[in-house]
Amino acid sequence: GDSVTQMEGPVTLSEEAFLTINCTYTATGYPSLFWYVQYPGEGLQLLLKATKADDKGSNKGFEATYRKETTSFHLEKGSVQVSDSAVYFCAFEISSGSARQLTFGSGTQLTVLP
Amino acid sequence: GAGVSQSPSNKVTEKGKDVELRCDPISGHTALYWYRQSLGQGLEFLIYFQGNSAPDKSGLPSDRFSAERTGGSVSTLTIQRTQQEDSAVYLCASRRRGGSSYNEQFFGPGTRLTVL
């Protein structure tokens, strides 16, 4: 069935380190891909998205490229900050579906130390 | 403008009791979703509303779970005869409309349900 597999956490990095969180998906149809972020005590927020193959989503210094050939959407940031500490969720929705509900990965807890 | 709101923010109940969780979507958003975030299952889809109708209830885990939406706005998720495995954070999201073109789902802060 449809699913998302993302790198298990927790991940702990020092400030200014390079971040990669791996995400692969299994989906029927034509998925749009997303990264959501949940900061401590806050709700889920959309971080970035890509709606077709080879698109690159970017926001707040984070990037992810839609790789159809490897069914991947890895999240990267060149220099993390303490304020990036949060839980990150990879997700997709099927564009052709009527509900277009999101299917999420299990989440990756990121802690950035000063 | 106001975002998606949910109430209560926290609910503690005893096993076997019924609970109602409320979601107020963003005004004008016709599509509404309920999700559940639990330790064992991660974030999972429960039900989708387009207007007042629920064309997709495929994620509801058992017949103890039901949801309704009235006036194309407020939605209530009801869990009857709660069990300890129902303990989770219940998230509501809304989007401007369903359909073929992309538009973002906006999430509420969630209701944390604890079943003792």
Side-chain angles (χ1 to χ4, degrees):
Chain A
D2 293 351
S3 65
V4 177
T5 302
Q6 66 178 98
M7 189 170 80
E8 290 190 18
V11 174
T12 303
L13 296 173
S14 297
E15 204 164 25
E16 299 183 3
F18 183 84
L19 169 71
T20 299
I21 302 177
N22 290 337
C23 171
T24 57
Y25 65 90
T26 301
T28 53
Y30 303 96
S32 296
L33 304 177
F34 307 90
W35 279 98
Y36 278 81
V37 59
Q38 191 171 33
Y39 297 104
E42 298 185 18
L44 270 176
Q45 303 174 27
L46 179 65
L47 179 60
L48 54 83
K49 70 179 188 295
T51 58
K52 62 182 188 296
D54 300 325
D55 271 2
K56 177 185 285 187
S58 61
N59 187 24
K60 299 182 180 180
F62 291 89
E63 292 183 340
T65 301
Y66 189 141
R67 301 288 187 199
K68 187 177 179 181
E69 64 276 13
T70 55
T71 62
S72 65
F73 192 55
H74 305 321
L75 182 68
E76 296 182 336
K77 186 173 185 180
S79 176
V80 293
Q81 305 300 312
V82 172
S83 58
D84 294 327
S85 298
V87 181
Y88 293 82
F89 293 90
C90 185
F92 70 80
E93 69 174 42
I94 302 300
S95 307
S96 57
S98 61
R100 302 170 61 99
Q101 74 271 27
L102 290 160
T103 298
F104 288 92
S106 56
T108 301
Q109 171 81 55
L110 170 67
T111 301
V112 180
L113 302 175
Chain B
V4 178
S5 62
Q6 294 186 245
S7 60
S9 55
N10 279 283
K11 176 72 176 178
V12 180
T13 190
E14 293 179 349
K15 179 181 172 181
K17 297 286 179 72
D18 297 351
V19 295
E20 284 190 352
L21 312 180
R22 177 186 168 108
C23 171
D24 280 273
I26 294 172
S27 177
H29 282 196
T30 61
L32 185 147
Y33 302 80
W34 283 97
Y35 295 87
R36 180 169 71 172
Q37 186 175 17
S38 58
L39 279 176
Q41 302 297 324
L43 252 165
E44 53 182 345
F45 165 76
L46 297 179
I47 188 170
Y48 157 69
F49 287 92
Q50 180 58 41
N52 290 336
S53 64
D56 192 336
K57 305 179 183 179
S58 61
L60 293 178
S62 78
D63 58 8
R64 296 186 294 105
F65 287 71
S66 62
E68 64 176 14
R69 189 178 185 197
T70 55
S73 181
V74 172
S75 176
T76 302
L77 177 69
T78 301
I79 309 173
Q80 296 179 309
R81 305 180 303 281
T82 52
Q83 304 295 313
Q84 289 182 330
E85 62 262 28
D86 300 334
S87 296
V89 177
Y90 290 82
L91 297 173
C92 177
S94 70
R95 72 194 318 170
R96 203 165 58 241
R97 64 183 183 281
S100 58
S101 61
Y102 171 75
N103 53 90
E104 182 181 344
Q105 288 190 37
F106 292 87
F107 282 82
T111 293
R112 181 175 296 277
L113 174 66
T114 303
V115 182
L116 301 178

